[in-house]
Amino acid sequence: MGPRDDPDEEGALQQRYHDDDNASVGSRDSAASEANIQGSDASDEEYYSPQEPYYANKYIPIPPRLQRAWRATVKWTKGPQPPRHWKIHPFFPRIQTAPIKFLNNYFPKKEHKVVLLVFFYLSWLLSFGLVLHRSAFAADIPGYGSPVRIRCTDRYWNDGNGCGINGDLCRPFENSSMPFRCPANCKHVEVVNPHAVGDQEINYRPLVIGGPTDKKETLKNTYYRGDSFICGAAIHAGFINDASGGCGVLSLVGEKSDYPSVKKGAISSIGFDSYFPKSFSFVGGTASKCRDLRWPLLAVSLTFTILLSLFTTSPAVFFPSVFLGIFFHVALASDPPNLTDYYAIVSIALGRFLPASFCMFAVYKYCVKPQQQGLHAQIEKTFLWLGGCWVGALNNYTFDKIPIQRLTPHDIKQQPGAIPALIIVVLSLFFIAIGQAWALRVEGRLPRYLGIYGIFVVTLLALVAVPKMNVRIHHYILGLLLVPGTAMQNRPSLLFQGILIGLFINGIARWGFDSILQTPDELRGDATLGSLLPMVLPPIIHNNFDIAGLMANITFEWEHPFPRHYDGLSILVNDVERFRGYEDAGKTSFTWVKHLEGVPEYFRFAYMNGNRRGDYTKAGAWRKDGGWTQMEDGPSF
C-alpha cells in the first residue's frame, strides 16, 4: 500500500514531486514582458499603475521569524505537489481476487449477477426471519400461559416513595405469580447512580438484593427483595442463562428479612439485614426452553455479510446491503430498544431506518465511495472494514466494557477505572488523528479538512455556550463527526471507517436520534435533585425492654415552619414510605412502633412540595440494641 505515482495517460514523463515554490520561471518571464510592454511606445493609452495590494504587515509589524514560520507551516500543510493518492496493493493478490474471478467465470453476464444477488437477498431475509421469529416469540409455559417479556432493568418496586404509603401502589405483596421472559446479556446491567439499600449506597453493580439462604442453595430457600432486578436475580439464582436469556415463573412470597449477600452466577448480590414487605422467588421446574437467539442470529448475519464482502467489488452494492443488514440485526436482535412489546420494537426500527439512510447516503458519497472505488483487496476489506463495522455495531459487547458510562465530571470521578480508561481513550484518539492527518496531507487534502473540523469545533463550542443546556456527544454523533477523516484508501482508514459506521448504526438502532443538547434533568436520570434536606431533631426512643406486651417505639420531630416552596415531609422506613405529613394538616411529629424485634430499622427523610418530593437524607439507624445512629451529612440516592 502506498500513494499512487501513476504516469500521465499520454506517456508524459513522470512529474517531479516538490513542495510549493514561491514563484515559477514562467511567472517571472511573464512579469518582465508585461513591464516591457507597459514601458514602450507601442501604446498611446494613458497608463495607470495597478493598485498596490494591501498587506497587514505593512501596518502591523510582524517579526520576520514568525512570517517565515507561518509560510513554512502553510507550505507543509499543503503537502507534496502534485498530491499523491493512497492505493491499497493487496497482499497475496491471487488469493484475494479469487472470489471475483470465480464469480466472473461462472456468472459472466450482468444479468446473471443480478439474479444471483436477488437470490442472495431472499436467502438472507428468509434465514434471518425464521431464526428471529423463533427467538422473539416463545411458547406458553404449561399451566401459566404466555410469558411476559421483561427488560433487564424491570423490578417490582419503584425508588423513593414511588410505591406510595406502605407500598400500596406496588401490591400485591404475596400469593401471586408471573410467567416471564428475560433477554440475553442482563448480567452486566448495573445501576449507574448511587442507590440506597438501607444504610448502604451501592453503585456500578447489579441491583440484586438477597439470594440463597441455605448451604445447598436450593430455589425453595432462595428469595430476593422486591426492588431487585428480576432478570439479574434469575441469573444469580441459576434459574436462567445470561448468554441466551430464558423463561420461567416467579412467585411473590411477601415479607422476608435478613437478605444474604452471595456471589453466584458472576453476580455478587447485596445483603440487607432487616425486613422488606415484598419479596419474590422462582418456581422450580418451570424454566422453559425459550431462548434469546441473538448468537445464532449473529452467525446468520455474519455469514451473509462476509459472503457479500468477498464477492462484491462495487461500493454501491456492498455498502447499502451491509448497512441495511447490520442495522436491522442491531435493532431487532443484538441490542434492541428497551421495550417489552416486540411489534413496537419492529415499528421503532422501521421509523429510525429512513432518516439513518439519508445520513448514510451522504457518508457513502463523500467517504465510503472514494475509499472503496477500485479496491480489490477482498479479504482485507472483509477483515478490516466489515470486521470493524461489526465491532462498532456490537457496541454493547465491545466498547461498553470500557468503564466510562457518561463523559461528565461527576460520573468519571465516581466510576472505578474511569480516569485511566479516559486517558487511554484520549491518547489513542490523539495518535489516530495524527496518523490520519498525515495521510490527508499526502493526498493534499489536509487544508480542506482542517477547515471542516474547524467548523465542527466552533459549532461545538457554540453549543457549549448555550445556557442551561449540556452538550452530550452520543456515539452516533461521534461516528458522523470523525468519519470524514477516513475518506482515503489505506488500511487504517478501512478499519476506522468501519468502526465509526458501526457506532453510528448501533447508536441510531438502539437509542435513536437523541439531541446533542440535553437539559440537566435528562442527564440526571435517577440521581439526586440537589434539593434542600430536612433538619430532623434527635429522636425520642422508648425501647420498653422490661415491659411485657409493649413494643418499642421511636418518635421524630422536625423544625417548623417548613422552608419556602415545601409544605410536607416524607419518611422512609427500610426504603418504604411510612409517613407523609403536610403542614396544613398539623403533622408535627411521627411515631414508629418497632415492626420486628432483633433487627435494625433505617429511616430517611425528604421534604415534599405537593406530590413531589425532594432528596432524601442518608439513613439513620435504629440499631438492634435500641440505640440511634445519626444520619450522615448529604443526600442519599
Side-chain angles (χ1 to χ4, degrees):
M1 178 191 69
R4 288 190 291 232
D5 298 337
D6 296 329
D8 295 338
E9 294 181 358
E10 301 297 331
L13 294 176
Q14 187 174 4
Q15 293 178 334
R16 179 174 62 89
Y17 291 101
H18 56 82
D19 288 334
D20 285 337
D21 293 328
N22 293 331
S24 64
V25 174
S27 64
R28 289 194 295 268
D29 292 342
S30 176
S33 300
E34 183 178 356
N36 291 333
I37 292 172
Q38 290 175 352
S40 69
D41 296 331
S43 174
D44 58 359
E45 296 180 2
E46 187 176 0
Y47 169 69
Y48 297 96
S49 62
Q51 183 178 359
E52 184 177 356
Y54 170 82
Y55 296 102
N57 58 1
K58 285 186 63 177
Y59 304 98
I60 303 175
I62 300 176
R65 181 178 298 178
L66 186 60
Q67 294 182 37
R68 290 194 297 270
W70 172 252
R71 284 196 294 266
T73 301
V74 172
K75 181 179 177 180
W76 182 89
T77 302
K78 290 181 179 180
Q81 299 298 322
R84 295 171 285 175
H85 295 283
W86 293 95
K87 174 70 175 178
I88 292 179
H89 302 287
F91 298 120
F92 309 107
R94 289 187 177 181
I95 297 176
Q96 296 211 50
T97 57
I100 304 303
K101 293 178 180 177
F102 174 85
L103 192 67
N104 291 332
N105 288 337
Y106 288 94
F107 302 93
K109 295 183 179 180
K110 183 177 180 180
E111 294 80 4
H112 297 166
K113 292 183 175 67
V114 170
V115 172
L116 181 64
L117 185 62
V118 171
F119 175 76
F120 178 85
Y121 287 152
L122 291 176
S123 301
W124 188 356
L125 179 63
L126 182 63
S127 303
F128 188 83
L130 290 175
V131 180
L132 180 65
H133 183 271
R134 185 176 178 184
S135 173
F137 302 99
D140 292 349
I141 298 177
Y144 294 93
S146 178
V148 177
R149 294 181 64 94
I150 61 175
R151 300 163 294 187
C152 295
T153 56
D154 280 345
R155 302 182 289 158
Y156 268 115
W157 200 268
N158 300 321
D159 291 334
N161 62 347
C163 284
I165 298 293
N166 299 320
D168 288 341
L169 300 180
C170 294
R171 290 183 180 273
F173 292 163
E174 57 184 331
N175 298 326
S176 179
S177 61
M178 181 188 75
F180 68 94
R181 177 176 187 174
C182 286
N185 200 33
C186 286
K187 178 174 63 178
H188 300 291
V189 175
E190 304 171 333
V191 291
V192 295
N193 284 309
H195 185 91
V197 178
D199 61 346
Q200 309 172 71
E201 287 186 356
I202 58 102
N203 199 9
Y204 295 110
R205 60 185 295 187
L207 186 58
V208 177
I209 307 168
T213 58
D214 60 345
K215 292 183 179 180
K216 295 183 179 181
E217 298 184 345
T218 59
L219 279 178
K220 182 179 180 181
N221 295 309
T222 298
Y223 53 85
Y224 298 89
R225 222 173 81 158
D227 55 347
S228 301
F229 291 155
I230 296 173
C231 293
I235 295 169
H236 183 263
F239 192 67
I240 65 171
N241 189 330
D242 177 64
S244 58
C247 299
V249 177
L250 62 79
S251 176
L252 298 178
V253 294
E255 183 180 290
K256 295 288 184 180
S257 61
D258 293 324
Y259 297 85
S261 174
V262 180
K263 185 173 183 179
K264 185 182 178 186
I267 294 177
S268 295
S269 66
I270 304 159
F272 182 61
D273 58 355
S274 192
Y275 58 87
F276 198 80
K278 188 171 189 173
S279 306
F280 63 87
S281 63
F282 300 99
V283 179
T286 62
S288 173
K289 293 183 179 180
C290 77
R291 297 171 57 205
D292 184 335
L293 300 177
R294 62 180 61 188
W295 296 111
L297 282 167
L298 178 61
V300 171
S301 297
L302 271 177
T303 299
F304 281 95
T305 53
I306 289 173
L307 289 174
L308 186 73
S309 178
L310 290 174
F311 287 90
T312 303
T313 57
S314 171
V317 174
F318 169 73
F319 181 72
S321 304
V322 168
F323 168 68
L324 188 147
I326 297 181
F327 182 92
F328 281 102
H329 177 89
V330 174
L332 303 179
S334 68
D335 199 11
N338 203 12
L339 299 172
T340 57
D341 183 356
Y342 206 82
Y343 295 104
I345 293 175
V346 174
S347 175
I348 288 176
L350 292 172
R352 293 172 177 173
F353 176 71
L354 185 60
S357 299
F358 281 108
C359 295
M360 287 296 99
F361 173 75
V363 169
Y364 165 76
K365 183 175 181 179
Y366 296 105
C367 302
V368 177
K369 186 177 179 180
Q371 182 193 78
Q372 298 192 7
Q373 194 73 40
L375 177 63
H376 297 286
Q378 301 301 101
I379 296 177
E380 291 180 73
K381 178 183 72 173
T382 303
F383 183 77
L384 295 174
W385 196 99
L386 183 63
C389 189
W390 274 111
V391 168
L394 298 175
N395 177 66
N396 52 324
Y397 290 96
T398 54
F399 297 116
D400 262 3
K401 306 303 179 185
I402 299 174
I404 302 175
Q405 292 291 335
R406 293 180 299 189
L407 290 176
T408 62
H410 178 266
D411 288 351
I412 291 172
K413 288 180 181 179
Q414 70 178 8
Q415 186 169 4
I419 294 179
L422 181 62
I423 293 173
I424 293 172
V425 169
V426 170
L427 289 177
S428 300
L429 290 176
F430 173 77
F431 287 114
I432 290 172
I434 293 295
Q436 292 302 103
W438 177 80
L440 287 169
R441 175 187 176 272
V442 170
E443 287 200 339
R445 294 190 289 165
L446 183 57
R448 185 192 316 167
Y449 278 79
L450 288 177
I452 292 172
Y453 280 100
I455 294 172
F456 289 165
V457 170
V458 170
T459 303
L460 289 176
L461 292 176
L463 292 175
V464 170
V466 175
K468 298 182 179 180
M469 299 289 284
N470 294 317
V471 173
R472 187 173 182 188
I473 307 296
H474 305 279
H475 46 284
Y476 85 87
I477 297 175
L478 187 67
L480 289 179
L481 289 178
L482 299 183
V483 76
T486 63
M488 69 200 85
Q489 195 182 112
N490 58 17
R491 292 181 177 89
S493 295
L494 276 179
L495 176 63
F496 300 147
Q497 187 178 101
I499 292 174
L500 293 171
I501 290 176
L503 285 174
F504 172 86
I505 291 173
N506 179 270
I508 301 304
R510 175 62 178 88
W511 306 103
F513 287 90
D514 276 358
S515 173
I516 191 173
L517 280 180
Q518 294 184 308
T519 64
D521 287 342
E522 290 177 301
L523 292 177
R524 184 178 61 243
D526 58 355
T528 56
L529 303 170
S531 62
L532 193 64
L533 298 176
M535 297 293 294
V536 180
L537 302 176
I540 301 171
I541 300 175
H542 298 282
N543 285 307
N544 300 327
F545 290 131
D546 300 324
I547 305 176
L550 292 179
M551 295 292 292
N553 61 80
I554 185 170
T555 300
F556 296 95
E557 296 179 344
W558 45 87
E559 293 183 348
H560 282 86
F562 287 125
R564 187 182 178 185
H565 304 307
Y566 297 106
D567 58 0
L569 192 77
S570 171
I571 301 178
L572 304 183
V573 182
N574 285 355
D575 307 321
V576 180
E577 189 175 37
R578 300 294 186 177
F579 174 83
R580 186 182 296 184
Y582 291 93
E583 192 170 24
D584 56 7
K587 300 289 187 180
T588 61
S589 65
F590 165 67
T591 298
W592 174 255
V593 177
K594 182 170 278 294
H595 180 73
L596 194 64
E597 291 291 346
V599 298
E601 292 176 308
Y602 303 99
F603 298 81
R604 294 190 283 147
F605 307 83
Y607 282 127
M608 299 286 298
N609 180 7
N611 289 325
R612 295 183 300 173
R613 55 96 177 169
D615 291 327
Y616 283 96
T617 64
K618 295 186 182 297
W622 189 11
R623 302 188 302 268
K624 295 180 183 180
D625 61 5
W628 172 253
T629 300
Q630 184 66 20
M631 297 87 70
E632 296 180 1
D633 293 336
S636 65
F637 297 82

